[in-house]
PDB file of all heavy atoms in Angstrom:
ATOM      1  N   ALA A 317     175.145 179.750 131.694  1.00  0.00           N
ATOM      2  CA  ALA A 317     176.262 178.876 131.313  1.00  0.00           C
ATOM      3  C   ALA A 317     177.341 179.714 130.651  1.00  0.00           C
ATOM      4  O   ALA A 317     177.041 180.707 129.993  1.00  0.00           O
ATOM      5  CB  ALA A 317     175.782 177.800 130.343  1.00  0.00           C
ATOM      6  N   TRP A 318     178.584 179.328 130.848  1.00  0.00           N
ATOM      7  CA  TRP A 318     179.698 180.040 130.204  1.00  0.00           C
ATOM      8  C   TRP A 318     180.886 179.101 130.056  1.00  0.00           C
ATOM      9  O   TRP A 318     180.894 177.994 130.595  1.00  0.00           O
ATOM     10  CB  TRP A 318     180.105 181.294 130.985  1.00  0.00           C
ATOM     11  CG  TRP A 318     180.585 181.011 132.396  1.00  0.00           C
ATOM     12  CD1 TRP A 318     179.797 180.843 133.498  1.00  0.00           C
ATOM     13  CD2 TRP A 318     181.939 180.860 132.847  1.00  0.00           C
ATOM     14  NE1 TRP A 318     180.580 180.596 134.600  1.00  0.00           N
ATOM     15  CE2 TRP A 318     181.896 180.613 134.238  1.00  0.00           C
ATOM     16  CE3 TRP A 318     183.180 180.935 132.202  1.00  0.00           C
ATOM     17  CZ2 TRP A 318     183.057 180.414 135.002  1.00  0.00           C
ATOM     18  CZ3 TRP A 318     184.338 180.733 132.964  1.00  0.00           C
ATOM     19  CH2 TRP A 318     184.267 180.483 134.351  1.00  0.00           C
ATOM     20  N   ARG A 319     181.891 179.594 129.349  1.00  0.00           N
ATOM     21  CA  ARG A 319     183.053 178.772 129.019  1.00  0.00           C
ATOM     22  C   ARG A 319     184.290 179.647 128.907  1.00  0.00           C
ATOM     23  O   ARG A 319     184.204 180.768 128.404  1.00  0.00           O
ATOM     24  CB  ARG A 319     182.767 178.149 127.644  1.00  0.00           C
ATOM     25  CG  ARG A 319     183.403 176.853 127.322  1.00  0.00           C
ATOM     26  CD  ARG A 319     182.582 176.171 126.228  1.00  0.00           C
ATOM     27  NE  ARG A 319     182.410 176.981 125.043  1.00  0.00           N
ATOM     28  CZ  ARG A 319     183.230 176.974 123.988  1.00  0.00           C
ATOM     29  NH1 ARG A 319     184.288 176.192 123.977  1.00  0.00           N
ATOM     30  NH2 ARG A 319     183.012 177.727 122.930  1.00  0.00           N
ATOM     31  N   ASN A 320     185.419 179.143 129.333  1.00  0.00           N
ATOM     32  CA  ASN A 320     186.682 179.842 129.123  1.00  0.00           C
ATOM     33  C   ASN A 320     187.116 179.672 127.662  1.00  0.00           C
ATOM     34  O   ASN A 320     186.658 178.747 126.991  1.00  0.00           O
ATOM     35  CB  ASN A 320     187.756 179.269 130.061  1.00  0.00           C
ATOM     36  CG  ASN A 320     187.822 180.019 131.385  1.00  0.00           C
ATOM     37  OD1 ASN A 320     187.894 181.257 131.397  1.00  0.00           O
ATOM     38  ND2 ASN A 320     187.757 179.299 132.480  1.00  0.00           N
ATOM     39  N   PRO A 321     188.018 180.551 127.162  1.00  0.00           N
ATOM     40  CA  PRO A 321     188.471 180.426 125.768  1.00  0.00           C
ATOM     41  C   PRO A 321     189.090 179.050 125.499  1.00  0.00           C
ATOM     42  O   PRO A 321     189.845 178.541 126.331  1.00  0.00           O
ATOM     43  CB  PRO A 321     189.548 181.516 125.646  1.00  0.00           C
ATOM     44  CG  PRO A 321     189.289 182.470 126.765  1.00  0.00           C
ATOM     45  CD  PRO A 321     188.658 181.683 127.865  1.00  0.00           C
ATOM     46  N   ASN A 322     188.762 178.476 124.367  1.00  0.00           N
ATOM     47  CA  ASN A 322     189.277 177.165 123.954  1.00  0.00           C
ATOM     48  C   ASN A 322     189.110 176.079 125.009  1.00  0.00           C
ATOM     49  O   ASN A 322     189.956 175.176 125.125  1.00  0.00           O
ATOM     50  CB  ASN A 322     190.744 177.269 123.543  1.00  0.00           C
ATOM     51  CG  ASN A 322     190.888 177.544 122.053  1.00  0.00           C
ATOM     52  OD1 ASN A 322     189.935 177.387 121.296  1.00  0.00           O
ATOM     53  ND2 ASN A 322     192.073 177.938 121.620  1.00  0.00           N
ATOM     54  N   ALA A 323     188.020 176.173 125.784  1.00  0.00           N
ATOM     55  CA  ALA A 323     187.768 175.156 126.816  1.00  0.00           C
ATOM     56  C   ALA A 323     186.679 174.201 126.343  1.00  0.00           C
ATOM     57  O   ALA A 323     185.726 174.603 125.680  1.00  0.00           O
ATOM     58  CB  ALA A 323     187.347 175.818 128.120  1.00  0.00           C
ATOM     59  N   ILE A 324     186.836 172.945 126.720  1.00  0.00           N
ATOM     60  CA  ILE A 324     185.809 171.952 126.391  1.00  0.00           C
ATOM     61  C   ILE A 324     184.885 171.741 127.596  1.00  0.00           C
ATOM     62  O   ILE A 324     184.008 170.892 127.573  1.00  0.00           O
ATOM     63  CB  ILE A 324     186.445 170.622 125.916  1.00  0.00           C
ATOM     64  CG1 ILE A 324     187.274 169.957 127.025  1.00  0.00           C
ATOM     65  CG2 ILE A 324     187.323 170.857 124.699  1.00  0.00           C
ATOM     66  CD1 ILE A 324     187.776 168.568 126.647  1.00  0.00           C
ATOM     67  N   THR A 325     185.118 172.522 128.647  1.00  0.00           N
ATOM     68  CA  THR A 325     184.289 172.470 129.851  1.00  0.00           C
ATOM     69  C   THR A 325     183.260 173.594 129.819  1.00  0.00           C
ATOM     70  O   THR A 325     183.626 174.757 129.620  1.00  0.00           O
ATOM     71  CB  THR A 325     185.173 172.672 131.107  1.00  0.00           C
ATOM     72  OG1 THR A 325     186.181 171.662 131.127  1.00  0.00           O
ATOM     73  CG2 THR A 325     184.344 172.595 132.381  1.00  0.00           C
ATOM     74  N   VAL A 326     181.996 173.238 130.003  1.00  0.00           N
ATOM     75  CA  VAL A 326     180.930 174.241 130.072  1.00  0.00           C
ATOM     76  C   VAL A 326     180.513 174.361 131.542  1.00  0.00           C
ATOM     77  O   VAL A 326     180.111 173.373 132.163  1.00  0.00           O
ATOM     78  CB  VAL A 326     179.721 173.831 129.211  1.00  0.00           C
ATOM     79  CG1 VAL A 326     178.628 174.901 129.269  1.00  0.00           C
ATOM     80  CG2 VAL A 326     180.153 173.570 127.773  1.00  0.00           C
ATOM     81  N   VAL A 327     180.643 175.565 132.077  1.00  0.00           N
ATOM     82  CA  VAL A 327     180.268 175.808 133.473  1.00  0.00           C
ATOM     83  C   VAL A 327     178.810 176.252 133.490  1.00  0.00           C
ATOM     84  O   VAL A 327     178.413 177.098 132.688  1.00  0.00           O
ATOM     85  CB  VAL A 327     181.156 176.904 134.101  1.00  0.00           C
ATOM     86  CG1 VAL A 327     180.840 177.066 135.589  1.00  0.00           C
ATOM     87  CG2 VAL A 327     182.627 176.586 133.895  1.00  0.00           C
ATOM     88  N   LEU A 328     178.015 175.671 134.375  1.00  0.00           N
ATOM     89  CA  LEU A 328     176.613 176.049 134.425  1.00  0.00           C
ATOM     90  C   LEU A 328     176.135 176.175 135.863  1.00  0.00           C
ATOM     91  O   LEU A 328     176.774 175.654 136.786  1.00  0.00           O
ATOM     92  CB  LEU A 328     175.734 175.028 133.664  1.00  0.00           C
ATOM     93  CG  LEU A 328     175.805 173.566 134.095  1.00  0.00           C
ATOM     94  CD1 LEU A 328     174.429 172.938 134.012  1.00  0.00           C
ATOM     95  CD2 LEU A 328     176.779 172.797 133.215  1.00  0.00           C
ATOM     96  N   LYS A 329     175.028 176.893 136.011  1.00  0.00           N
ATOM     97  CA  LYS A 329     174.408 176.987 137.328  1.00  0.00           C
ATOM     98  C   LYS A 329     174.039 175.571 137.756  1.00  0.00           C
ATOM     99  O   LYS A 329     173.548 174.784 136.952  1.00  0.00           O
ATOM    100  CB  LYS A 329     173.168 177.880 137.222  1.00  0.00           C
ATOM    101  CG  LYS A 329     172.478 178.120 138.537  1.00  0.00           C
ATOM    102  CD  LYS A 329     171.281 179.040 138.324  1.00  0.00           C
ATOM    103  CE  LYS A 329     170.054 178.419 138.971  1.00  0.00           C
ATOM    104  NZ  LYS A 329     168.840 179.192 138.732  1.00  0.00           N
ATOM    105  N   LYS A 330     174.281 175.276 139.014  1.00  0.00           N
ATOM    106  CA  LYS A 330     174.055 173.916 139.515  1.00  0.00           C
ATOM    107  C   LYS A 330     172.579 173.514 139.372  1.00  0.00           C
ATOM    108  O   LYS A 330     171.700 174.187 139.906  1.00  0.00           O
ATOM    109  CB  LYS A 330     174.447 173.902 140.987  1.00  0.00           C
ATOM    110  CG  LYS A 330     174.586 172.537 141.594  1.00  0.00           C
ATOM    111  CD  LYS A 330     175.174 172.729 142.987  1.00  0.00           C
ATOM    112  CE  LYS A 330     175.268 171.440 143.743  1.00  0.00           C
ATOM    113  NZ  LYS A 330     175.991 171.671 145.016  1.00  0.00           N
ATOM    114  N   PRO A 331     172.294 172.437 138.650  1.00  0.00           N
ATOM    115  CA  PRO A 331     170.906 171.990 138.526  1.00  0.00           C
ATOM    116  C   PRO A 331     170.475 171.094 139.695  1.00  0.00           C
ATOM    117  O   PRO A 331     171.233 170.878 140.636  1.00  0.00           O
ATOM    118  CB  PRO A 331     170.903 171.215 137.213  1.00  0.00           C
ATOM    119  CG  PRO A 331     172.303 170.764 137.002  1.00  0.00           C
ATOM    120  CD  PRO A 331     173.213 171.626 137.836  1.00  0.00           C
TER     121      PRO A 331
END
Side-chain angles (χ1 to χ4, degrees):
W318 61 276
R319 207 157 56 91
N320 269 310
N322 269 345
I324 64 173
T325 302
V326 181
V327 185
L328 57 142
K329 183 179 130 184
K330 193 172 176 173

